[in-house]
Amino acid sequence: MELFTNNVKDVALIFEGGGLRNSYSSAVVNVLLENRIFFDAVYAVSAGASNAINYLSRDTERSRLTFTEYSDDMPFRKSEGMLLHSGLLAPTAVKYNDAPCDKLPFNFEAFQANPAQLTFKGINRDTGETVYWTRKDFTTEEKLMERVRATTSYPIVMPPTRLEDEGGGLFYDGGPGEGGGIMLPRARHDGFRKFFVVCTQQKGFRKRVGHRRIFETFLWRRPKMREAISTWAQRYNEQLDNLAALEEEGLAYVFYASDQSAVRRELDSAKLKNNYQLGYQQAQREVDKWAAFLGI
């Protein structure tokens, strides 16, 4: 397969997480692809990682199906007991050893043919350190999917992901790490000054971390993780403020999910499909503005 070409070189594409709210933002993936808007640098955390790999493999069908048709097959939809009733559910739209995700194959060859930079982040369970994974870590499909799983392993809801090629370290969802759930600081660190950010919340949203007692109890032996979670909302909200300032300067385009109708733990498949359509309609309304911002 020949290398893909990308036409947006100086703007970083950033996907927020947000569980099954990504049924809305997965439509943004498809509108970008349908309009041949190809970024050369992509950053993603948590469920946004599934959007990122679908975008880079340029697979509109997989993008549509990941958070709609096949969400029922994912392990978190079968959670029981405390994990389910805590109300904390995370998306796992990747190939797990214990899930029938072969129904939704991933085109790793196409992913490899795309030269775009890709960065995920996770957080080390024991040290609380934020860890970034890039192309050098995605040399095989298995290694890629392990890291998609790691950045999606929401504390308590899912066990941490062990990465044997990183000394057997255990990693959780990168959301509580540096920058909260939006990878703006890392993109800036890498030298970008302009940003196209796909959020899964409406404009004006500000985060708070609930279930504090559950986190404190579950992570009582992990003080660094507890600290990261306790300051998660503050750091996330700071990034939203930074994005607002960048918008004012004309340096950021932020896609806010204005008609978002799903929640992180959405269990209604019909609502997920409708949510995708709402996201698609909004993206279609905005695509001319995207092109103007990107200069293409």
Side-chain angles (χ1 to χ4, degrees), residues 89-288:
L89 293 176
T92 53
V94 299
K95 184 183 291 185
Y96 286 80
N97 293 332
D98 58 348
C101 294
D102 287 334
K103 297 177 184 176
L104 197 59
F106 179 68
N107 190 339
F108 186 70
E109 182 181 2
F111 171 82
Q112 288 289 73
N114 194 326
Q117 167 190 333
L118 174 62
T119 308
F120 297 151
K121 70 171 178 171
I123 186 168
N124 186 292
R125 184 199 68 174
D126 299 318
T127 68
E129 177 187 7
T130 299
V131 177
Y132 295 94
W133 298 299
T134 61
R135 281 282 188 180
K136 65 179 175 55
D137 302 300
F138 310 144
T139 52
T140 67
E141 182 176 357
E142 180 180 9
K143 288 182 178 182
L144 171 66
M145 291 304 182
E146 283 177 344
R147 285 157 176 81
V148 175
R149 180 177 186 175
T151 191
T152 310
S153 295
Y154 199 100
I156 303 180
V157 176
M158 294 172 59
T161 297
R162 183 182 299 277
L163 298 179
E164 297 294 349
D165 57 347
E166 295 199 20
L170 294 164
F171 297 91
Y172 276 127
D173 187 320
E178 293 173 353
I182 300 174
M183 290 185 66
L184 177 62
R186 189 63 181 184
R188 281 179 146 171
H189 172 273
D190 290 344
F192 287 95
R193 295 187 64 252
K194 294 186 69 176
F195 313 92
F196 187 99
V197 183
V198 182
C199 290
T200 56
Q201 296 281 8
Q202 297 176 344
K203 189 170 186 175
F205 169 81
R206 288 298 181 270
K207 186 178 182 63
R208 67 178 183 84
V209 177
H211 308 283
R212 288 184 181 272
R213 184 170 297 179
I214 295 174
F215 282 120
E216 289 287 329
T217 301
F218 187 80
L219 298 169
W220 70 275
R221 292 189 298 175
R222 315 292 177 195
K224 295 297 186 181
M225 276 298 305
R226 293 203 311 271
E227 180 182 358
I229 289 174
S230 69
T231 58
W232 184 2
Q234 175 186 340
R235 286 175 287 107
Y236 174 84
N237 293 337
E238 286 174 356
Q239 296 313 315
L240 290 177
D241 292 340
N242 289 337
L243 282 178
L246 288 166
E247 283 184 286
E248 287 291 324
E249 296 178 61
L251 296 175
Y253 188 104
V254 185
F255 177 91
Y256 295 103
S258 61
D259 298 319
Q260 178 67 259
S261 66
V263 295
R264 172 185 290 276
R265 59 189 182 274
E266 187 61 64
L267 299 177
D268 187 332
S269 296
K271 182 173 284 189
L272 291 172
K273 294 172 186 176
N274 181 63
N275 206 43
Y276 173 87
Q277 293 301 324
L278 291 172
Y280 191 85
Q281 291 164 14
Q282 181 184 342
Q284 290 280 48
R285 293 194 300 270
E286 294 189 20
V287 68
D288 289 343

Side-chain angles (χ1 to χ4, degrees), residues 1-56:
M1 179 176 289
E2 294 184 4
L3 284 179
F4 292 160
T5 58
N6 297 314
N7 55 3
V8 181
K9 303 283 189 176
D10 60 346
V11 183
L13 171 61
I14 302 174
F15 287 107
E16 183 185 8
L20 284 165
R21 290 194 298 270
N22 279 269
S23 54
Y24 197 98
S25 54
S26 63
V28 176
V29 170
N30 284 358
V31 174
L32 286 170
L33 293 176
E34 289 164 4
N35 286 274
R36 302 187 62 79
I37 301 175
F38 302 136
F39 288 81
D40 205 42
V42 182
Y43 296 79
V45 63
S46 195
S50 290
N51 280 331
I53 64 173
N54 290 336
Y55 173 75
L56 289 180

